[in-house]
Amino acid sequence: MNFQQSELTQQVAQTAKDFAVQHIKPHLMEWDESQEFPLHIFKAMGQLGLMGVFVPEQYGGSGMGYFEYSVVIQEIAKVCGSIGLSLAAHNSLCTGHILTFCSEEQKKKYLPKLASCEHLGAWGLTEANTGSDAGNMKTTAVKDGDHWVINGTKNWITHGKTGDIAVVVCRTGEPRTKDNATAFIVERGTPGFSGGKKENKLGMRASETAEMIFDNCRIPDANRIGEVGAGFKQSMKVLDGGRISIAALSLGIAKGAYEAAVQYSKERYQFDQPIANFQGISFKLADMATEITAAELLINQACHLKMSGLPMTKEAAMAKYYASEVAVKVSTDAVQVFGGYGYTKDFPVEKFYRDSKLCTIGEGTSEIQKLVISREVLR
């Protein structure tokens, strides 16, 4: 591995950083308080190429790799985790699934509008009673001539109400049987497809999380992704890449909280000196810096393997598990460094604290990551 960022990666990071500071930072608490999903921000990022980072140029994307993708998410999340989360879900889940598993005809139809964010993407696997137990999902797709009829509800879906294009994984076989799920593309406006309840969340409040409801939703077989029964295997591969993006999201939140804590510790005086001079504070900052660096190295390893076309299930799970737990720890310690001020909404660390927890849950909990890792090391 080369630990030096390429010039392209640095340029992309600077572009994302400048955008976040100019267009996101002034409004992030307003969006957080009102739970507003700022769709216009994603349209603007689409114009910069940030909504189709690894979509090839032939399909209207930026044609970049996972190192660039990782720094984009980090720089956005250093300012606002909500925007970083939605950016990740659009790129790695919906768009990533279509890019990896769709036919050439399907790619030409959907990827250009996703890459520009003319269309916003959603990805539906999770259900109310089948989070990690996806093999027992209740949403079904039944073949009817040249069409499929979908019935059921997906929960906790990023852009469940606003997304224009959804990749939906449905059960097409008996519960808990092998190869019993198939993925489909469902377009907003299709009869029988609607958004349901929007969740009222602790953090990530400007990222829309909602139900997707299917009531005799009829779609053509042309919208099927890959072979019948391949949906779960596709989803696991998509989640490998998705875990890199949540790891990057976690790292961005951790870096944002850490940088705020360092700055505050230099400015806050007690006993006629900055609190950074006190060992109780300086040691917290040392731990933060060390853990952030370790998380970054794990992420870069996963990115390297992904870009090399090598197996990376274990490494992506390690990066996601460790980085997400670091995000929680660093943001917690950052609140402590700020003291009483850290508990107010006048300073950014309380939001980093609230946003960080989702990273240990979304796209596979920390417990599921440990399950994945242990299976890999015990093979």
Side-chain angles (χ1 to χ4, degrees):
M1 284 178 60
N2 180 1
F3 292 92
Q4 183 65 41
Q5 282 189 347
S6 70
E7 184 177 349
L8 173 62
T9 304
Q10 293 176 37
Q11 290 173 347
V12 171
Q14 190 64 49
T15 297
K17 180 178 181 179
D18 292 344
F19 182 89
V21 170
Q22 182 178 353
H23 298 285
I24 299 172
K25 191 173 183 178
H27 308 287
L28 62 92
M29 289 310 296
E30 170 192 340
W31 297 334
D32 183 78
E33 293 284 346
S34 65
Q35 300 196 67
E36 175 186 350
F37 176 64
L39 182 59
H40 66 283
I41 288 295
F42 297 93
K43 301 290 187 183
M45 287 196 290
Q47 294 304 306
L48 287 177
L50 302 183
M51 297 297 278
V53 176
F54 42 70
V55 174
E57 293 181 15
Q58 70 190 87
Y59 303 118
S62 299
M64 293 183 285
Y66 266 78
F67 287 105
E68 290 74 36
Y69 179 49
S70 173
V71 297
V72 165
I73 295 176
Q74 287 177 50
E75 291 298 337
I76 298 296
K78 278 169 68 175
V79 174
C80 181
S82 295
I83 307 302
L85 174 62
S86 279
L87 176 73
H90 173 93
N91 270 285
S92 68
L93 297 182
C94 177
T95 304
H97 198 137
I98 292 173
L99 176 63
T100 306
F101 294 107
C102 276
S103 66
E104 187 66 20
E105 183 179 357
Q106 290 169 326
K107 290 178 184 178
K108 289 179 178 177
K109 181 176 180 180
Y110 293 108
L111 287 178
K113 291 184 177 180
L114 286 167
S116 67
C117 202
E118 180 180 342
H119 285 168
L120 183 69
W123 192 76
L125 176 66
T126 304
E127 298 179 6
N129 296 313
T130 55
S132 303
D133 185 17
N136 195 35
M137 69 178 68
K138 301 296 187 289
T139 299
T140 60
V142 178
K143 189 77 182 294
D144 182 18
D146 293 330
H147 288 74
W148 294 82
V149 179
I150 302 176
N151 282 286
T153 301
K154 295 292 182 179
N155 295 70
W156 309 106
I157 308 304
T158 305
H159 314 144
K161 292 173 74 76
T162 303
D164 301 289
I165 302 296
V167 172
V168 184
V169 183
C170 306
R171 183 164 55 79
T172 49
E174 293 301 313
R176 302 196 188 285
T177 58
K178 187 178 180 181
D179 301 331
N180 71 341
T182 306
F184 301 90
I185 298 171
V186 187
E187 301 177 28
R188 185 69 62 189
T190 303
F193 175 33
S194 61
K197 175 190 174 186
K198 180 179 177 180
E199 302 297 341
N200 184 7
K201 299 175 295 182
L202 168 72
M204 302 289 194
R205 288 164 64 83
S207 176
E208 179 187 276
T209 305
E211 294 176 325
M212 291 195 301
I213 299 171
F214 302 90
D215 183 9
N216 290 319
C217 178
R218 190 177 180 86
I219 60 170
D221 187 55
N223 285 32
R224 172 171 48 83
I225 300 177
E227 298 297 322
V228 173
F232 188 72
K233 291 179 180 177
Q234 292 174 5
S235 298
M236 293 304 99
K237 291 181 180 178
V238 168
L239 285 171
D240 279 346
R243 284 167 182 154
I244 294 177
S245 66
I246 299 301
L249 175 70
S250 304
L251 182 60
I253 290 171
K255 285 182 174 181
Y258 166 73
E259 291 173 9
V262 169
Q263 181 180 343
Y264 183 81
S265 72
K266 294 176 179 179
E267 297 171 351
R268 172 70 166 170
Y269 272 64
Q270 291 285 277
F271 304 100
D272 303 318
Q273 58 184 310
I275 63 173
N277 288 355
F278 298 116
Q279 193 177 86
I281 300 299
S282 64
F283 277 19
K284 282 187 186 297
L285 298 175
D287 285 340
M288 291 181 193
T290 302
E291 290 162 354
I292 285 171
T293 300
E296 190 159 23
L297 290 171
L298 282 170
I299 293 167
N300 286 340
Q301 176 185 234
C303 288
H304 170 73
L305 293 172
K306 178 72 173 176
M307 294 304 298
S308 302
L310 297 170
M312 39 72 78
T313 297
K314 179 183 70 176
E315 290 77 10
M318 285 178 168
K320 196 272 187 188
Y321 165 53
Y322 186 74
S324 64
E325 295 292 341
V326 164
V328 173
K329 184 176 184 298
V330 168
S331 60
T332 301
D333 284 346
V335 171
Q336 198 72 14
V337 169
F338 274 74
Y341 289 111
Y343 205 67
T344 73
K345 293 184 181 292
D346 296 330
F347 291 88
V349 289
E350 68 85 28
K351 183 175 183 298
F352 288 126
Y353 178 73
R354 288 186 290 109
D355 287 348
S356 67
K357 189 56 191 171
L358 185 278
C359 298
T360 69
I361 298 170
E363 294 195 36
T365 62
S366 291
E367 291 74 19
I368 287 295
Q369 303 313 312
K370 287 192 274 190
L371 179 64
V372 171
I373 295 163
S374 62
R375 283 177 175 172
E376 290 296 315
V377 299
L378 292 171
R379 281 184 184 277

